[in-house]
Amino acid sequence: MSTGGRDRSGVDARTTRVLESLRDVNEQLVLAVVDAQQQREEAQGALQRATRIAEHDTLTGLPSRTLLLDRFTQAAALARRHGRRLAVLFLDLNEFKQVNDELGHTVGDAALRLVAQALSASVRTADTVSRQGGDEFVVLLTDLLSADDAADIATKICRTLALPMHIGDRVVSLTASCGISLFPDHSLEAGELIDLADAAMYDAKRRGDGHVAFHSDGMTPVGQRLRQESARVPRRGVDDDEQHAALREANEQLVLAALTAQDLQADAEHAQRRQTEFMAILAHELRTPLAPMRNVSALLERLTADDPMLPRLQAIIERQVDHMARLVDDLLDVSRAITGKLRLRLEVVSMAAVSQEAMLAAQPGIDSRRQTFTFEGPTQGVMVLGDPLRLVQVVANLLDNASKYTPAGGTLSLTVRADEYEVTLTVVDSGIGITAAALPGVFGLFAQDVHAVGYNGVGLGIGLTVVHELVQAHGGTVTAHSRGATLGSQFVVTLPLVPRTLMDAPIA
């Protein structure tokens, strides 16, 4: 009797611990749902405000320095791959303080907005114009074949800025000094290129209004041609045709702005609908594991310690608790990424070790579906600067996602390759694929292809969003490819290799 009492007591203790774990998970889920409901109507507006503050200048609407640096990282990777150049232009409006002093800051702010519009109109869609503060602007020019391309665009910008600007009943005429630095000729780092272009701009300013100078251009033909071109830039007395052309261009910009506003409104309405749909899906996902757990809890009350069903029932509860815990973790990761609270513990990490740990995490799911998995990659020597736990999460999520969307008996592979500048991880599966309509938004929050909803028990569709945010936080890119439904999928992650200066740091 005493032994049976102890066994029964052990069962009761294990049951109590399981139920306590369930209560903890349920409490977190309830709090998450209540919080999401409270913020539902405010979420889109808050996200737009946060995006503006983080990525765009409040006066001109131009990308901030942070966004400029992010775009530089992506453009530099492409430039290295295709053997192209980038150029950084640093522009300063000459004697702009005089405009503020004589005409007031209201006119000065209006002039800066017009300058921002003129700069954006003078460059290509792939280029980026950023306001650095005050009357200084930085322009990132991408995909250049030669330095002459940068010279041509700089000359066009100087000519455009020299056109008179009509602000109310005022006419404001401005000139600018411009400095240019080149990637990879002058530096590989964005911050250093900006500093070099800034120094070249001061050199141009010393030569007089409207001048342009390359960093350390000396007597190079390009530098000489720029000086000759900038000397011919009109300053005053522009003829009527040029003024009319400037007005037409301004009107076109206003029409484009109106169309953009309509698009933003449509996007906001779409996001709100997606939020509503997500709440419905979340409620369903929370109910799904609760039903078997309630049934198991009822059965546990009638079992004895030696009942053969006990291990099976405990395993059911543990699986459902794990499922709910992963759901909460994914929701928290997405929330942290959106609110800018995602934190990384960076160190020099071996991608071989990351891959091995991720494969171990994903292997049980692959084995349970009797799928064939292959790996090809280096055993050592490929190092990145990153958070090892988060990088394992990225690779494991992609492998787990590929396995879930692949039928039993299908094939999966992970390939890791590195070149001089970056490492590329490719996950390929023979699964249900992605339709052409769903492919562009596959990394969006709550995104799921129609034919994938509920497949193999897959639920919310936020795993790829977590992957996208984590990869971006590491300065990398992730892309999805598929030839269509039933034709499998391919996900490609690129991460920058660790700089040589950090190679002596501790390695995970």
Side-chain angles (χ1 to χ4, degrees):
M1 290 293 292
S2 60
T3 302
R6 285 196 300 272
D7 291 344
R8 182 66 189 180
S9 175
V11 173
D12 292 341
R14 287 194 295 272
T15 302
T16 300
R17 287 196 296 271
V18 171
L19 292 176
E20 286 177 352
S21 298
L22 287 175
R23 281 196 294 270
D24 290 341
V25 172
N26 285 339
E27 182 179 349
Q28 293 183 53
L29 288 171
V30 170
L31 290 175
V33 172
V34 171
D35 185 59
Q37 289 173 332
Q38 290 174 343
Q39 298 182 20
R40 173 180 162 187
E41 293 183 358
E42 301 176 4
Q44 186 61 28
L47 181 59
Q48 290 177 350
R49 289 194 297 273
T51 301
R52 279 187 173 276
I53 293 172
E55 296 187 346
H56 292 86
D57 173 53
T58 55
L59 176 63
T60 63
L62 293 175
S64 67
R65 181 184 176 96
T66 300
L67 186 54
L68 175 76
L69 296 178
D70 288 343
R71 293 181 180 178
F72 174 88
T73 300
Q74 298 174 11
L78 291 174
R80 285 193 295 259
R81 189 174 300 167
H82 300 294
R84 301 296 182 92
R85 282 187 171 90
L86 307 179
V88 173
L89 278 57
F90 197 106
L91 291 103
D92 179 78
L93 301 179
N94 297 313
E95 299 179 359
F96 186 76
K97 183 177 182 299
Q98 185 176 348
V99 175
N100 283 329
D101 291 344
E102 295 181 0
L103 304 179
H105 286 278
T106 300
V107 174
D109 288 348
L112 289 175
R113 285 191 286 268
L114 289 176
V115 168
Q117 293 177 13
L119 289 174
S120 298
S122 298
V123 299
R124 303 158 300 174
T125 304
D127 301 327
T128 301
V129 180
S130 172
R131 180 176 175 234
Q132 298 298 290
D135 57 351
E136 296 178 336
F137 296 84
V138 169
V139 181
L140 171 63
L141 303 179
T142 63
D143 196 28
L144 302 177
L145 290 173
S146 68
D148 283 347
D149 293 339
D152 292 337
I153 297 174
T155 301
K156 178 182 177 182
I157 288 175
C158 287
R159 285 174 172 165
T160 301
L161 292 183
L163 295 174
M165 295 181 294
H166 295 266
I167 304 173
D169 58 351
R170 306 276 188 176
V171 177
V172 178
S173 297
L174 297 171
T175 60
S177 298
C178 177
I180 306 175
S181 60
L182 297 174
F183 170 98
D185 307 63
H186 299 147
S187 176
L188 301 178
E189 302 295 331
E192 186 175 359
L193 286 169
I194 292 174
D195 291 341
L196 295 176
D198 185 12
M201 179 274 296
Y202 278 106
D203 184 33
K205 189 180 286 287
R206 285 192 294 270
R207 300 173 185 173
D209 289 352
H211 275 274
V212 182
F214 272 90
H215 163 65
S216 301
D217 64 357
M219 298 299 291
T220 62
V222 171
Q224 291 296 331
R225 185 169 74 81
L226 270 176
R227 291 176 190 149
Q228 294 167 5
E229 292 283 353
S230 63
R232 293 196 292 268
V233 171
R235 305 290 196 278
R236 302 291 190 269
V238 181
D239 60 36
D240 291 341
D241 289 342
E242 288 181 322
Q243 293 186 37
H244 292 160
L247 289 175
R248 282 196 301 272
E249 190 167 1
N251 287 336
E252 291 174 0
Q253 293 292 328
L254 289 174
V255 171
L256 290 175
L259 294 174
T260 301
Q262 292 176 355
D263 291 341
L264 290 175
Q265 181 179 356
D267 290 343
E269 293 172 351
H270 177 68
Q272 187 172 0
R273 288 194 299 271
R274 295 298 299 276
Q275 181 81 353
T276 303
E277 294 168 1
F278 167 70
M279 295 304 300
I281 297 173
L282 178 59
H284 172 74
E285 284 295 309
L286 295 180
R287 285 196 301 267
T288 299
L290 288 177
M293 286 192 290
R294 279 196 298 266
N295 296 335
V296 168
S297 297
L299 288 173
L300 284 174
E301 296 178 358
R302 300 197 294 268
L303 298 181
T304 61
D306 56 351
D307 194 302
M309 286 188 64
L310 185 60
R312 179 183 174 188
L313 295 179
Q314 289 176 326
I316 292 174
I317 291 180
E318 290 173 0
R319 283 198 303 271
Q320 301 306 324
V321 170
D322 288 342
H323 172 71
M324 297 175 78
R326 286 196 301 272
L327 177 63
V328 172
D329 288 342
D330 283 348
L331 287 170
L332 290 175
D333 282 341
V334 171
S335 175
R336 293 188 189 107
I338 290 175
T339 57
K341 296 180 181 179
L342 186 64
R343 296 291 180 265
L344 301 178
R345 297 182 179 180
L346 299 179
E347 56 185 273
V348 178
V349 184
S350 165
M351 287 309 299
V354 167
S355 301
Q356 291 298 326
E357 191 168 343
M359 288 188 289
L360 286 175
Q363 196 65 50
I366 296 173
D367 292 341
S368 69
R369 299 180 183 97
R370 303 183 307 281
Q371 294 162 339
T372 302
F373 174 72
T374 58
F375 170 71
E376 178 185 349
T379 58
Q380 60 183 356
V382 178
M383 304 294 177
V384 301
L385 186 63
D387 185 324
L389 294 178
R390 292 301 196 179
L391 290 175
V392 170
Q393 183 181 356
V394 166
V395 183
N397 274 12
L398 289 176
L399 290 174
D400 188 53
N401 197 65
S403 177
K404 286 179 178 178
Y405 285 113
T406 298
T411 60
L412 293 79
S413 68
L414 169 63
T415 304
V416 180
R417 291 191 174 93
D419 59 22
E420 185 178 357
Y421 301 102
E422 61 189 15
V423 58
T424 301
L425 295 89
T426 305
V427 176
V428 180
D429 65 66
S430 62
I432 64 174
I434 308 170
T435 63
L439 192 58
V442 71
F443 295 106
L445 192 56
F446 323 131
Q448 278 191 300
D449 206 344
V450 174
H451 76 298
V453 175
Y455 186 86
N456 259 347
V458 179
L460 290 178
I462 58 177
L464 289 180
T465 305
V466 174
V467 168
H468 181 266
E469 297 296 335
L470 290 177
V471 171
Q472 279 205 327
H474 283 83
T477 62
V478 56
T479 57
H481 311 272
S482 177
R483 291 178 294 168
T486 75
L487 298 177
S489 304
Q490 181 186 73
F491 289 85
V492 181
V493 174
T494 62
L495 295 168
L497 291 178
V498 66
R500 295 183 181 276
T501 55
L502 297 179
M503 287 301 292
D504 295 332
I507 297 176

